[in-house]
PDB file of all heavy atoms in Angstrom:
ATOM      1  N   ILE A 198      58.678  34.427 174.007  1.00 82.00           N
ATOM      2  CA  ILE A 198      57.465  34.999 174.586  1.00 82.00           C
ATOM      3  C   ILE A 198      56.219  34.236 174.130  1.00 82.00           C
ATOM      4  O   ILE A 198      55.357  33.899 174.934  1.00 82.00           O
ATOM      5  CB  ILE A 198      57.363  36.499 174.241  1.00 82.00           C
ATOM      6  CG1 ILE A 198      58.448  37.246 175.019  1.00 82.00           C
ATOM      7  CG2 ILE A 198      55.982  37.043 174.555  1.00 82.00           C
ATOM      8  CD1 ILE A 198      58.443  38.736 174.826  1.00 82.00           C
ATOM      9  N   LEU A 199      56.141  33.928 172.852  1.00 87.00           N
ATOM     10  CA  LEU A 199      54.942  33.236 172.370  1.00 87.00           C
ATOM     11  C   LEU A 199      54.839  31.820 172.932  1.00 87.00           C
ATOM     12  O   LEU A 199      53.754  31.366 173.290  1.00 87.00           O
ATOM     13  CB  LEU A 199      54.908  33.219 170.844  1.00 87.00           C
ATOM     14  CG  LEU A 199      54.695  34.595 170.208  1.00 87.00           C
ATOM     15  CD1 LEU A 199      54.701  34.488 168.692  1.00 87.00           C
ATOM     16  CD2 LEU A 199      53.382  35.223 170.683  1.00 87.00           C
ATOM     17  N   GLU A 200      55.966  31.143 173.055  1.00 88.00           N
ATOM     18  CA  GLU A 200      55.903  29.787 173.615  1.00 88.00           C
ATOM     19  C   GLU A 200      55.460  29.829 175.075  1.00 88.00           C
ATOM     20  O   GLU A 200      54.685  28.989 175.532  1.00 88.00           O
ATOM     21  CB  GLU A 200      57.249  29.080 173.469  1.00 88.00           C
ATOM     22  CG  GLU A 200      57.482  28.649 172.028  1.00 88.00           C
ATOM     23  CD  GLU A 200      58.732  27.816 171.839  1.00 88.00           C
ATOM     24  OE1 GLU A 200      59.487  27.622 172.810  1.00 88.00           O
ATOM     25  OE2 GLU A 200      58.948  27.352 170.699  1.00 88.00           O
ATOM     26  N   GLN A 201      55.949  30.850 175.783  1.00 83.00           N
ATOM     27  CA  GLN A 201      55.537  30.998 177.171  1.00 83.00           C
ATOM     28  C   GLN A 201      54.036  31.266 177.269  1.00 83.00           C
ATOM     29  O   GLN A 201      53.333  30.698 178.099  1.00 83.00           O
ATOM     30  CB  GLN A 201      56.277  32.180 177.751  1.00 83.00           C
ATOM     31  CG  GLN A 201      56.285  32.169 179.242  1.00 83.00           C
ATOM     32  CD  GLN A 201      57.679  32.478 179.716  1.00 83.00           C
ATOM     33  OE1 GLN A 201      58.384  33.256 179.096  1.00 83.00           O
ATOM     34  NE2 GLN A 201      58.071  31.865 180.790  1.00 83.00           N
ATOM     35  N   MET A 202      53.564  32.120 176.377  1.00 85.00           N
ATOM     36  CA  MET A 202      52.150  32.453 176.336  1.00 85.00           C
ATOM     37  C   MET A 202      51.317  31.184 176.098  1.00 85.00           C
ATOM     38  O   MET A 202      50.280  30.987 176.717  1.00 85.00           O
ATOM     39  CB  MET A 202      51.973  33.431 175.170  1.00 85.00           C
ATOM     40  CG  MET A 202      50.727  34.227 175.217  1.00 85.00           C
ATOM     41  SD  MET A 202      50.814  35.441 176.520  1.00 85.00           S
ATOM     42  CE  MET A 202      49.090  35.875 176.568  1.00 85.00           C
ATOM     43  N   MET A 203      51.771  30.330 175.195  1.00 89.00           N
ATOM     44  CA  MET A 203      51.020  29.118 174.884  1.00 89.00           C
ATOM     45  C   MET A 203      51.036  28.147 176.069  1.00 89.00           C
ATOM     46  O   MET A 203      50.053  27.471 176.339  1.00 89.00           O
ATOM     47  CB  MET A 203      51.580  28.447 173.629  1.00 89.00           C
ATOM     48  CG  MET A 203      51.446  29.299 172.374  1.00 89.00           C
ATOM     49  SD  MET A 203      49.766  29.936 172.094  1.00 89.00           S
ATOM     50  CE  MET A 203      50.099  31.574 171.466  1.00 89.00           C
ATOM     51  N   ARG A 204      52.165  28.094 176.779  1.00 87.00           N
ATOM     52  CA  ARG A 204      52.209  27.241 177.975  1.00 87.00           C
ATOM     53  C   ARG A 204      51.238  27.753 179.029  1.00 87.00           C
ATOM     54  O   ARG A 204      50.520  26.987 179.660  1.00 87.00           O
ATOM     55  CB  ARG A 204      53.630  27.192 178.545  1.00 87.00           C
ATOM     56  CG  ARG A 204      54.528  26.193 177.831  1.00 87.00           C
ATOM     57  CD  ARG A 204      55.789  25.898 178.638  1.00 87.00           C
ATOM     58  NE  ARG A 204      56.632  27.087 178.756  1.00 87.00           N
ATOM     59  CZ  ARG A 204      57.559  27.427 177.846  1.00 87.00           C
ATOM     60  NH1 ARG A 204      57.762  26.669 176.792  1.00 87.00           N
ATOM     61  NH2 ARG A 204      58.272  28.516 178.013  1.00 87.00           N
ATOM     62  N   LEU A 205      51.210  29.092 179.187  1.00 86.00           N
ATOM     63  CA  LEU A 205      50.305  29.677 180.174  1.00 86.00           C
ATOM     64  C   LEU A 205      48.850  29.430 179.793  1.00 86.00           C
ATOM     65  O   LEU A 205      48.008  29.193 180.640  1.00 86.00           O
ATOM     66  CB  LEU A 205      50.545  31.187 180.279  1.00 86.00           C
ATOM     67  CG  LEU A 205      51.860  31.577 180.936  1.00 86.00           C
ATOM     68  CD1 LEU A 205      52.104  33.068 180.802  1.00 86.00           C
ATOM     69  CD2 LEU A 205      51.851  31.168 182.401  1.00 86.00           C
ATOM     70  N   ARG A 206      48.586  29.441 178.519  1.00 90.00           N
ATOM     71  CA  ARG A 206      47.227  29.195 178.074  1.00 90.00           C
ATOM     72  C   ARG A 206      46.790  27.790 178.453  1.00 90.00           C
ATOM     73  O   ARG A 206      45.680  27.574 178.921  1.00 90.00           O
ATOM     74  CB  ARG A 206      47.148  29.398 176.558  1.00 90.00           C
ATOM     75  CG  ARG A 206      45.754  29.518 176.064  1.00 90.00           C
ATOM     76  CD  ARG A 206      45.252  28.552 175.047  1.00 90.00           C
ATOM     77  NE  ARG A 206      46.198  27.866 174.211  1.00 90.00           N
ATOM     78  CZ  ARG A 206      45.846  27.236 173.118  1.00 90.00           C
ATOM     79  NH1 ARG A 206      44.591  27.283 172.721  1.00 90.00           N
ATOM     80  NH2 ARG A 206      46.730  26.570 172.432  1.00 90.00           N
ATOM     81  N   GLU A 207      47.679  26.825 178.270  1.00 89.00           N
ATOM     82  CA  GLU A 207      47.351  25.445 178.650  1.00 89.00           C
ATOM     83  C   GLU A 207      47.057  25.370 180.145  1.00 89.00           C
ATOM     84  O   GLU A 207      46.131  24.695 180.577  1.00 89.00           O
ATOM     85  CB  GLU A 207      48.545  24.523 178.375  1.00 89.00           C
ATOM     86  CG  GLU A 207      49.022  24.533 176.949  1.00 89.00           C
ATOM     87  CD  GLU A 207      48.491  23.349 176.161  1.00 89.00           C
ATOM     88  OE1 GLU A 207      48.869  22.214 176.507  1.00 89.00           O
ATOM     89  OE2 GLU A 207      47.699  23.584 175.222  1.00 89.00           O
ATOM     90  N   GLU A 208      47.883  26.105 180.894  1.00 87.00           N
ATOM     91  CA  GLU A 208      47.798  26.054 182.342  1.00 87.00           C
ATOM     92  C   GLU A 208      46.566  26.784 182.870  1.00 87.00           C
ATOM     93  O   GLU A 208      45.849  26.289 183.729  1.00 87.00           O
ATOM     94  CB  GLU A 208      49.056  26.748 182.882  1.00 87.00           C
ATOM     95  CG  GLU A 208      49.567  26.238 184.201  1.00 87.00           C
ATOM     96  CD  GLU A 208      50.914  26.902 184.486  1.00 87.00           C
ATOM     97  OE1 GLU A 208      51.857  26.708 183.682  1.00 87.00           O
ATOM     98  OE2 GLU A 208      50.991  27.634 185.479  1.00 87.00           O
ATOM     99  N   LEU A 209      46.318  27.988 182.326  1.00 87.00           N
ATOM    100  CA  LEU A 209      45.279  28.843 182.890  1.00 87.00           C
ATOM    101  C   LEU A 209      43.972  28.828 182.104  1.00 87.00           C
ATOM    102  O   LEU A 209      42.947  29.281 182.595  1.00 87.00           O
ATOM    103  CB  LEU A 209      45.785  30.289 183.007  1.00 87.00           C
ATOM    104  CG  LEU A 209      47.122  30.467 183.761  1.00 87.00           C
ATOM    105  CD1 LEU A 209      47.588  31.918 183.683  1.00 87.00           C
ATOM    106  CD2 LEU A 209      46.976  30.034 185.217  1.00 87.00           C
ATOM    107  N   GLY A 210      44.031  28.364 180.871  1.00 90.00           N
ATOM    108  CA  GLY A 210      42.794  28.169 180.118  1.00 90.00           C
ATOM    109  C   GLY A 210      42.148  29.392 179.501  1.00 90.00           C
ATOM    110  O   GLY A 210      40.987  29.349 179.127  1.00 90.00           O
ATOM    111  N   PHE A 211      42.882  30.505 179.378  1.00 93.00           N
ATOM    112  CA  PHE A 211      42.250  31.668 178.749  1.00 93.00           C
ATOM    113  C   PHE A 211      42.197  31.508 177.230  1.00 93.00           C
ATOM    114  O   PHE A 211      42.829  30.625 176.663  1.00 93.00           O
ATOM    115  CB  PHE A 211      42.977  32.964 179.140  1.00 93.00           C
ATOM    116  CG  PHE A 211      44.470  32.920 178.966  1.00 93.00           C
ATOM    117  CD1 PHE A 211      45.046  33.066 177.715  1.00 93.00           C
ATOM    118  CD2 PHE A 211      45.301  32.738 180.072  1.00 93.00           C
ATOM    119  CE1 PHE A 211      46.415  33.043 177.558  1.00 93.00           C
ATOM    120  CE2 PHE A 211      46.683  32.703 179.917  1.00 93.00           C
ATOM    121  CZ  PHE A 211      47.248  32.853 178.659  1.00 93.00           C
ATOM    122  N   SER A 212      41.414  32.386 176.593  1.00 96.00           N
ATOM    123  CA  SER A 212      41.359  32.410 175.124  1.00 96.00           C
ATOM    124  C   SER A 212      42.193  33.588 174.641  1.00 96.00           C
ATOM    125  O   SER A 212      42.321  34.582 175.341  1.00 96.00           O
ATOM    126  CB  SER A 212      39.938  32.640 174.626  1.00 96.00           C
ATOM    127  OG  SER A 212      39.034  31.856 175.333  1.00 96.00           O
TER     128      SER A 212
END
Side-chain angles (χ1 to χ4, degrees):
Chain A
I198 290 182
L199 292 179
E200 285 186 356
Q201 199 134 35
M202 199 71 194
M203 297 309 142
R204 278 195 295 273
L205 289 171
R206 195 239 337 195
E207 303 261 295
E208 211 172 299
L209 307 174
F211 50 78
S212 316

